[in-house]
Amino acid sequence: MAIFIGCVSTTQIERNSGKQLYSFRIYLVFSYYVIDLLQGKSRMDSSGEKKELEWIERVRSEGAVPLLDPDNCRNGWASPPGYKFLVRGPDYLSTRVKVPAGEYLLKSLGFDWIRSSTKIGEVLKHPSGRVKKAIEEEFPTGDKPFVWAFNLQVPSKDNYSAVAYFTTREPILEGSLMDQFLKGDDGFRNSRLKLIANIVKGPWIVRKAVGEQAICIIGRALSCNYCASDSFLEVDVDIGSSMVASAIVHLAFGYITTLTVDLAFLIESQTESELPEQLLGAVRFSELDPAVARPTEPYLGRSTGSLQSNLPTRLWKSIGQGFSHMLHPGDHENGSSLGSPCVNGIGDNESSSIEIKK
């Protein structure tokens, strides 16, 4: 009996051990399966990230001017560090203190230096536009990355445009300034879109005209055309719509092969909850050669609202020469003012359309 009981007990133990071993083996298999899934996801994420970087790098490198190091980008473009720009700090409304900007909200995508027989606009809708084609080829179906484009239309007989592109695959936070800007009307956009321009290197006369740093609420100073869709927002900035801005740009264009300029784009923070300000993105172009600007065909599908005639180049030349005389040392003892209500040397008074810090 004892032997029988012992046999039964041994058999029971063996059965329990077998079940435990079986359970352990299932646990091991499941663990390996989960680990394999995670590693596979990691490989897929890594592959997807690499693929994304590849198409971005391709777009960055296919423009008329090359992407170069920010400290050495002669006849090229670069992405300058954010701290080069001062923005409204967290306590700006009470202290008026500005702080170096942090990381950009958007990723730099590319830069175009182009020219045409007519003023260039709605670049991201142009059927042969290189950025538009690159995105359609890379993302034929499904979600496309959202692209921001800032097209600075230079008043000249050759209709040059400097276009900076930025992108993001991150969802835009509901109610954020970016969300409000994208959903807002042109009035809201015109009151908020800000440009910060720094002359990094250039002749004295240009630095005197522009100042160390020029801050401009673009839509208050210049005519802007907003071209928007589900996957992009393009801002066409008509510099020729302001006689003062045109004169300064015409003056600077004469020295463009010696200029290094940083331009940052942001949405102005006007309430405490919106502070501190954050840059959307920035671009540096250096010593651009007008001869290398890539010719582009006019986009015939452009909206009529974005077609504006240029004033004759002779007018800009005469205004630019006037600026040269006004800014030449000795002509005026205190020649920091540019003689326009839109341009001033007040320092931190941002109520005007353009603020220039001398």
Side-chain angles (χ1 to χ4, degrees), residues 31-51:
S31 298
Y32 287 138
Y33 176 73
V34 171
I35 291 172
D36 189 55
L37 280 178
L38 292 175
Q39 289 178 339
K41 184 179 185 301
S42 177
R43 286 192 294 270
M44 289 176 62
D45 290 345
S46 177
S47 175
E49 183 178 351
K50 182 179 179 182
K51 185 177 180 181

Side-chain angles (χ1 to χ4, degrees), residues 44-64:
M44 289 176 62
D45 290 345
S46 177
S47 175
E49 183 178 351
K50 182 179 179 182
K51 185 177 180 181
E52 179 177 352
L53 290 175
E54 285 177 352
W55 82 266
I56 289 178
E57 290 304 318
R58 190 169 67 250
V59 171
R60 286 176 174 175
S61 63
E62 290 179 348

Side-chain angles (χ1 to χ4, degrees), residues 18-260:
K19 289 180 179 179
Q20 291 175 356
L21 182 61
Y22 180 72
S23 299
F24 181 69
R25 287 174 177 171
I26 292 178
Y27 173 76
L28 283 178
V29 171
F30 180 74
S31 298
Y32 287 138
Y33 176 73
V34 171
I35 291 172
D36 189 55
L37 280 178
L38 292 175
Q39 289 178 339
K41 184 179 185 301
S42 177
R43 286 192 294 270
M44 289 176 62
D45 290 345
S46 177
S47 175
E49 183 178 351
K50 182 179 179 182
K51 185 177 180 181
E52 179 177 352
L53 290 175
E54 285 177 352
W55 82 266
I56 289 178
E57 290 304 318
R58 190 169 67 250
V59 171
R60 286 176 174 175
S61 63
E62 290 179 348
V65 293
L67 171 63
L68 301 172
D69 183 86
D71 295 325
N72 185 22
C73 58
R74 185 170 183 259
N75 195 25
W77 72 279
S79 183
Y83 66 80
K84 294 287 188 179
F85 304 92
L86 294 179
V87 297
R88 294 180 172 188
D91 303 315
Y92 177 82
L93 296 182
S94 59
T95 65
R96 288 300 194 256
V97 172
K98 293 188 175 183
V99 298
E103 295 294 322
Y104 300 126
L105 293 173
L106 305 174
K107 182 180 295 186
S108 176
L109 179 59
F111 177 78
D112 270 338
W113 179 229
I114 50 182
R115 59 184 171 85
S116 180
S117 57
T118 62
K119 187 179 298 181
I120 301 168
E122 300 184 2
V123 177
L124 289 176
K125 290 178 67 175
H126 199 299
S128 61
R130 69 180 191 89
V131 175
K132 173 182 170 65
K133 290 173 66 176
I135 292 175
E136 289 179 346
E137 291 172 3
E138 191 68 31
F139 304 93
T141 59
D143 293 336
K144 292 179 171 58
F146 196 90
V147 174
W148 297 64
F150 299 95
N151 172 20
L152 304 180
Q153 300 166 328
V154 180
S156 68
K157 64 179 181 179
D158 293 313
N159 296 292
Y160 292 95
S161 266
V163 191
Y165 304 94
F166 306 92
T167 188
T168 180
R169 292 299 299 270
E170 299 296 325
I172 297 173
L173 185 64
E174 185 77 22
S176 66
L177 264 182
M178 287 177 67
D179 183 57
Q180 294 178 53
F181 189 85
L182 292 173
K183 294 177 180 177
D185 58 17
D186 287 358
F188 178 82
R189 293 168 177 167
N190 285 338
S191 69
R192 292 295 191 108
L193 183 60
K194 182 187 288 187
L195 170 71
I196 303 176
N198 294 337
I199 302 296
V200 180
K201 185 179 71 172
W204 175 88
I205 192 169
V206 177
R207 299 176 73 89
K208 186 71 174 177
V210 178
E212 290 179 20
Q213 177 174 269
I215 301 174
C216 173
I217 302 298
I218 302 177
R220 293 178 187 166
L222 304 168
S223 175
C224 296
N225 180 61
Y226 300 92
C227 180
S229 77
D230 293 337
S231 59
F232 70 81
L233 175 70
E234 176 180 336
V235 186
D236 295 329
V237 183
D238 182 12
I239 300 175
S241 61
S242 163
M243 293 184 68
V244 174
S246 295
I248 293 174
V249 169
H250 181 84
L251 175 68
F253 197 78
Y255 299 94
I256 194 168
T257 57
T258 65
L259 282 176
T260 298

Side-chain angles (χ1 to χ4, degrees), residues 9-26:
S9 300
T10 303
T11 303
Q12 187 67 37
I13 291 171
E14 290 175 350
R15 287 177 179 174
N16 291 339
S17 299
K19 289 180 179 179
Q20 291 175 356
L21 182 61
Y22 180 72
S23 299
F24 181 69
R25 287 174 177 171
I26 292 178

